[in-house]
Amino acid sequence: MRKIRTIATIALDPSLSLQIGRDSTQRGAVVEEIEGLIKVDKNGHVERPQMVPHVSTALPSELGVTSKDVTIDKFTNIWARFYVPKCSFSGRLPLIVYFHGGGFCVGSAAWSCYHEFLAKLAAKASCIVMSVNYRLAPENPLPVAYEDGLKALLWVKQGAQSGSGEEWWQGKCNFSNVFLAGDSAGANIAHNVAARSITHSLNPLILKGTILIQPFFGGEARTESEKYMVQSSRSALTLSASDTYWRLALPGGANRDHPWCNPLAKGWTKSEEQRLPPALVCVSEMDILKDRNLELCAALAKAGRRVEHVVYKGVGHAFQVLSKSQTSQTRTLEMMAHIKSFVSSLC
């Protein structure tokens, strides 16, 4: 077992007040570890240190956003945190169904960094944001996260059809303007949920687009950015950590050319891609995933799908949630403006 030291991937922002778990009980030899984030022993026991605080739905009143948690499936413990702008006008707002990052293995809709980012996104983009808390690998390997994401989308559909449930957000939601979004592994989930939704009737929902922020894909052959991108405090993903996440998330016996990891490895399904809505892909210049993100954009465009992409200069993976540098804050505002423009252009 090789221990992967990626503590710097989370320690980008001192204001996060990170806390490392103190439970050092050993249940067996450790077989996979990303230091400070996840540890898996040979018996299958998984330990996730409390690196990022879990926070309540409370938000500063001046932000003008209401947040509440809602249960989607009590049996599998799928839930979502909603962010609803307190609009002064009577118009209904687009809905962004968002999936958090974390290599499919860590992360939560209650993490403080996502709570802050998505509350601000809801306010600045004038959208309702539904942040889905899906089940994590390795206890729940792929495609469980995709299934949870689709279940969340169908739950929204059911609520829209019945008009019952959480009226406080439904009354402000335009179900004809729905977007799937996420960052890193969450962007991978958004892409795959969009593909899976093709075989389902979403009426009265209309899926208008996907917003893929630094989408997490991989492959057996290394790209140039994977091989030569210098790791620094500006990027929250190392190549070794990426490999570990994929070993933990993919089904047993699968390698990184599995289509869930590398959809380009065995060719692109053009007919399926043409049925998917437009995509916005947000790429970070200092991210090891930069080349894969750009390859994805090219493949989507070749398949006939409308795709827009933006490269954010001088920042790395997950900068919008894990870094408080002045450059990151500037780029985050740019990203929110691009998302707002993309949503507005399709509504």
Side-chain angles (χ1 to χ4, degrees):
M1 192 282 298
R2 179 176 56 181
K3 180 184 290 188
I4 299 170
R5 187 171 184 84
T6 56
I7 195 75
T9 65
I10 292 295
L12 296 172
D13 175 16
S15 70
L16 287 175
S17 301
L18 308 181
Q19 298 177 353
I20 299 176
R22 297 179 181 277
D23 182 9
S24 59
T25 304
Q26 284 284 52
R27 303 196 181 196
V30 175
V31 294
E32 294 283 7
E33 181 178 7
I34 301 176
E35 189 172 353
L37 290 172
I38 188 169
K39 183 185 296 184
V40 183
D41 71 22
K42 66 178 182 180
N43 298 321
H45 173 69
V46 180
E47 179 183 338
R48 295 180 179 88
Q50 186 74 21
M51 287 292 294
V52 180
H54 287 65
V55 297
S56 71
T57 57
L59 289 169
S61 58
E62 59 268 23
L63 191 59
V65 174
T66 299
S67 178
K68 293 183 181 179
D69 292 339
V70 177
T71 299
I72 294 174
D73 188 333
K74 64 181 181 181
F75 298 105
T76 54
N77 196 31
I78 306 170
W79 57 273
R81 178 163 292 186
F82 277 84
Y83 300 89
V84 182
K86 301 174 184 176
C87 300
S88 58
F89 58 91
S90 58
R92 297 197 173 204
L93 301 175
L95 173 66
I96 296 177
V97 180
Y98 194 93
F99 303 98
H100 67 77
F104 305 102
C105 299
V106 299
S108 169
W111 266 14
S112 59
C113 53
Y114 282 108
H115 186 60
E116 178 182 348
F117 172 68
L118 294 177
K120 290 180 179 178
L121 177 62
K124 293 185 180 297
S126 298
C127 292
I128 295 172
V129 178
M130 172 186 172
S131 179
V132 180
N133 201 75
Y134 53 89
R135 287 173 288 176
L136 300 176
E139 303 96 321
N140 301 285
L142 294 175
V144 170
Y146 304 152
E147 294 166 353
D148 289 355
L150 182 60
K151 178 174 287 188
L153 186 61
L154 295 177
W155 176 86
V156 173
K157 168 196 167 180
Q158 184 179 11
Q161 286 177 328
S162 67
S164 62
E166 297 295 325
E167 296 290 348
W168 67 278
W169 69 272
Q170 287 183 359
K172 295 185 177 182
C173 184
N174 185 341
F175 293 104
S176 297
N177 293 323
V178 178
F179 295 79
L180 294 175
D183 66 290
S184 195
N188 179 305
I189 295 171
H191 174 78
N192 278 281
V193 171
R196 286 170 178 248
S197 72
I198 290 175
T199 59
H200 294 263
S201 170
L202 296 180
N203 186 52
L205 306 186
I206 299 179
L207 185 58
K208 288 292 186 67
T210 57
I211 301 163
L212 311 180
I213 303 173
Q214 304 136 357
F216 184 48
F217 291 100
E220 287 296 302
R222 303 300 192 189
T223 65
E224 294 298 298
S225 62
E226 286 173 340
K227 288 189 291 186
Y228 301 117
M229 186 68 68
V230 176
Q231 295 298 320
S232 71
S233 60
R234 285 181 290 181
S235 190
L237 182 68
T238 65
L239 187 59
S240 53
S242 173
D243 290 350
T244 300
Y245 282 136
W246 283 117
R247 286 195 299 271
L248 293 174
L250 287 170
N255 67 16
R256 293 191 306 274
D257 281 335
H258 188 285
W260 294 335
C261 178
N262 187 4
L264 307 184
K266 297 181 180 179
W268 203 257
T269 308
K270 186 174 182 179
S271 60
E272 179 181 276
E273 282 302 318
Q274 288 177 328
R275 297 171 61 189
L276 290 174
L280 170 66
V281 183
C282 300
V283 185
S284 293
E285 182 186 35
M286 308 302 293
D287 190 355
I288 63 168
L289 299 179
K290 180 182 72 172
D291 288 349
R292 291 201 183 276
N293 291 176
L294 295 176
E295 287 173 358
L296 175 69
C297 294
L300 291 173
K302 186 176 181 180
R305 187 174 174 191
R306 174 183 161 185
V307 58
E308 302 175 22
H309 79 272
V310 184
V311 178
Y312 297 93
K313 302 292 186 181
V315 289
H317 193 78
F319 72 88
Q320 72 282 353
V321 289
L322 294 180
S323 175
K324 291 295 184 181
S325 73
Q326 186 58 55
T327 299
S328 292
Q329 291 185 62
T330 300
R331 297 292 178 264
T332 299
L333 291 175
E334 292 172 359
M335 177 186 288
M336 291 181 180
H338 290 142
I339 292 173
K340 180 178 183 178
S341 177
F342 177 73
V343 170
S344 298
S345 72
L346 296 169
C347 291

